[in-house]
Amino acid sequence: MRNSAQLRHEFLKAWIKSLKIYSNLKKNMSISHRKNAIKLSADVAIASITQKAKPSASSHRWTQSLMADAASSDDGTNRIFVEQTLGYKLGNRKKSPTTGLMTKCSKKILRNNIRVFLGKSRKRTTPKHAKAGSIIANKGVEKRTRLLKRLVPGGEDMDEISLMEEALDYIALLQVQRDVLKQVAAVAESLRNLKSVN
Amino acid sequence: MGSQENGDRVVFSSSSVMNTALEPDNGAGLLPISSESIFKSPSCLDPFWDPSNLRIQGERIGNSSMVLGSEFGNSHYPSSMLENQVSGSSSCFPSSGLVQVLPKIPFLGSRNYSEMVTSYNMDQSSLPPNHGNNWHSQISPNGKRKRKNVEMENQLKDPPGNSSDSPDDDGEKKCIRGHSTKQIKDGNAAELSKENYIHVRAKRGQATNSHSLAERVRREKISERMKLLQELVPGCNKITGKAVMLDEIINYVQSLQQQVEFLSMKLASVNPELNMDINGMLSKDTRGGNVGVSLGQSSGCPFPGLPLGTIPGAASSFHPALPQNLWSNELIGILQMGYDANPSSAGINGLSKMEP
């Protein structure tokens, strides 16, 4: 595991590089554009360093979905930008959110049908009220996992276990992003204040 | 019954018996036996007597040793009996009195024993000789085997280990009865038997239902990852429980995302050209004086370890207070490396002046 300092190094490098590429592509951006550009390049930078450092991590959904999101915005410049940054062409990733749902649904249907078929021979072994508490508790957990799925990019059709792994990675890299951005912003701001003073 | 006892006692005494701490003069036929000896002389066996079954049952009986002891007039069951069972070499049973005694012991649940016994009778032939087999490797190739059989094997294989779950165990043992004819279906078997089997062993006192075993594996995985997440998210050391933990995680992720957004907005407002020329920024720093120090405080020196000597050239122009700010020094170092690698970006690099 790389330590956080190293991560921050790499992120900063990648981020500045991607920012440059972006500003090459687009000139005279408004402030909101700029903000989005910064975020975008930060995301792409994160994804790229993850891929470089840990080849296995490219299997991580969130990197791929980050890049897909980045590449899929309205104008084509974003896509070009992403590709340039990463250094390779992004395959046309067809986002098929339905497939995950479908497999889940079909599995559920299968399971339910089996239960129905065998339900007659199956005696109720645990009293109903014994499980009520755990059911209620699980509902809360379900809600929250759904929320988490929405937060983590690419988390929609993942099972709980991999969702947690992805969340782990995502949190770690969000922290890196935040720290670096914080410092750069602080530098920039203090410089600006300095200039206004002078 | 007496004759039966006698017969059994004869059996026991003739076979090689491994001693436990139990004394030999058991009034009602409580004799130490070794499971090996029983296996050697199957013909003497009472048909109801599955020695391995009884071994398990014996472990349970050990829990209620006083009951049996009083039944048979034995004043003591050595507590070391349980440890002997752990070693696996021998166990103490009442002999045939077990058959009588068991129904009287409420917690054992005659259903368990009778069920095991009946299934043993039914499926004697299909019992695998090798008890070391993992339950799972038996399920998937023999999908058609009756669940009871599998569960009985699981019970047979249960190594005496944790004994803490007896109430839980009773609740879950009940499930075994209900699944008399249920085949093992895709749901769990498929999950576990993708390419590689995940080998699971049911501990003592835990359910041997394949569903619950799979669930247990899954739960353990989830709790592992929860622990990792706890370390990552600040302030979650004392929280136990999935729901609260998930809450914290969600809040943290949301706050991180918001911070990133806010910071990028801030940067965008400060920097109208998106050039991020940090070299230029820092060279202005020198004229600015002690700006670097404040940065050092805000950043908390996150990048230890880059020696100042690596910074090419720029170090000489710095105010002596600045080298304390390791962060900016490292940034310079990085950017030097970065700029060298990207000669194409020289055009933008030329815009070094930041607008006020």
Side-chain angles (χ1 to χ4, degrees), chain B residues 211-256:
Chain B
H211 280 297
S212 17
L213 270 170
E215 270 183 38
R216 181 158 287 119
V217 165
R218 180 178 158 272
R219 257 182 277 154
E220 281 171 6
K221 277 195 195 170
I222 290 185
S223 56
E224 251 184 64
R225 284 163 179 83
M226 278 292 201
K227 276 185 217 157
L228 286 174
L229 275 169
Q230 266 191 343
E231 291 164 24
L232 210 52
V233 177
C236 281
N237 300 325
K238 302 167 190 170
I239 297 181
T240 49
K242 265 205 270 186
V244 187
M245 193 58 219
L246 278 176
D247 240 358
E248 289 294 319
I249 293 169
I250 288 173
N251 286 339
Y252 191 57
V253 168
Q254 278 177 338
S255 84
L256 277 180

Side-chain angles (χ1 to χ4, degrees), chain A residues 72-84:
Chain A
S72 65
S73 23
D74 35 351
D75 48 355
T77 51
N78 279 339
R79 195 185 177 85
I80 302 171
F81 155 62
V82 170
E83 286 173 3
Q84 277 189 9

Side-chain angles (χ1 to χ4, degrees), chain B residues 121-355:
Chain B
N121 281 336
M122 285 190 312
D123 304 323
Q124 267 190 24
S125 54
S126 49
L127 261 188
N130 174 17
H131 286 271
N133 268 348
N134 187 288
W135 72 275
H136 182 76
S137 54
Q138 301 221 335
I139 287 180
S140 21
N142 305 328
K144 288 184 186 169
R145 297 174 79 166
K146 294 200 172 177
R147 180 168 283 254
K148 248 196 201 170
N149 187 18
V150 171
E151 284 155 2
M152 206 190 74
E153 291 156 19
N154 292 338
Q155 284 170 348
L156 291 175
K157 289 172 215 147
D158 263 350
N162 311 335
S163 52
S164 55
D165 290 89
S166 45
D168 185 33
D169 185 13
D170 279 339
E172 301 203 270
K173 287 249 181 201
K174 288 178 196 168
C175 299
I176 299 170
R177 258 188 107 204
H179 303 163
S180 49
T181 54
K182 187 172 177 187
Q183 309 280 329
I184 293 149
K185 286 297 179 178
D186 305 348
N188 279 324
E191 283 167 21
L192 290 178
S193 62
K194 285 172 194 162
E195 310 296 333
N196 316 308
Y197 295 133
I198 301 173
H199 287 261
V200 186
R201 190 153 205 119
K203 294 185 191 160
R204 177 198 159 96
Q206 293 183 343
T208 51
N209 195 359
S210 73
H211 280 297
S212 17
L213 270 170
E215 270 183 38
R216 181 158 287 119
V217 165
R218 180 178 158 272
R219 257 182 277 154
E220 281 171 6
K221 277 195 195 170
I222 290 185
S223 56
E224 251 184 64
R225 284 163 179 83
M226 278 292 201
K227 276 185 217 157
L228 286 174
L229 275 169
Q230 266 191 343
E231 291 164 24
L232 210 52
V233 177
C236 281
N237 300 325
K238 302 167 190 170
I239 297 181
T240 49
K242 265 205 270 186
V244 187
M245 193 58 219
L246 278 176
D247 240 358
E248 289 294 319
I249 293 169
I250 288 173
N251 286 339
Y252 191 57
V253 168
Q254 278 177 338
S255 84
L256 277 180
Q257 285 178 340
Q258 282 173 0
Q259 283 180 10
V260 167
E261 175 126 6
F262 171 71
L263 282 170
S264 62
M265 182 57 129
K266 191 169 159 188
L267 256 183
S269 67
V270 157
N271 187 1
E273 287 155 359
L274 264 199
N275 47 12
M276 299 287 151
D277 179 30
I278 305 208
N279 245 346
M281 283 195 250
L282 286 165
S283 58
K284 287 174 187 64
D285 235 351
T286 60
R287 287 176 247 139
N290 285 339
V291 176
V293 178
S294 67
L295 278 177
Q297 288 168 358
S298 67
S299 64
C301 290
F303 300 111
L306 232 203
L308 298 179
T310 61
I311 297 154
S316 53
S317 60
F318 279 141
H319 194 276
L322 267 185
Q324 295 169 18
N325 184 1
L326 293 174
W327 172 77
S328 52
N329 290 337
E330 294 195 356
L331 264 188
I332 295 166
I334 293 164
L335 287 167
Q336 288 290 336
M337 295 190 296
Y339 288 166
D340 291 341
N342 292 327
S344 57
S345 59
I348 296 179
N349 198 12
L351 301 168
S352 55
K353 293 283 178 187
M354 279 182 57
E355 292 177 17

Side-chain angles (χ1 to χ4, degrees), chain A residues 8-9 12-13 16 20 24 34-35 39 144 160 165 170 175 178 183 187 189 191 194-195, chain B residues 222 225 243 247 250 252 257 259 261 266 268 281 288 295 302-303 327 330-331 334 339 348 354:
Chain A
R8 274 180 268 201
H9 273 232
L12 187 61
K13 268 194 275 187
I16 292 182
K20 279 180 201 155
N24 266 342
R34 289 206 299 272
K35 174 201 105 175
K39 257 180 69 177
R144 291 176 175 97
E160 271 195 31
E165 292 182 6
Y170 186 59
Q175 283 177 337
R178 181 205 35 162
Q183 288 156 7
V187 172
E189 176 132 9
L191 278 177
L194 220 62
K195 271 193 196 147
Chain B
I222 290 185
R225 284 163 179 83
D247 240 358
I250 288 173
Y252 191 57
Q257 285 178 340
Q259 283 180 10
E261 175 126 6
K266 191 169 159 188
M281 283 195 250
L295 278 177
F303 300 111
W327 172 77
E330 294 195 356
L331 264 188
I334 293 164
Y339 288 166
I348 296 179
M354 279 182 57

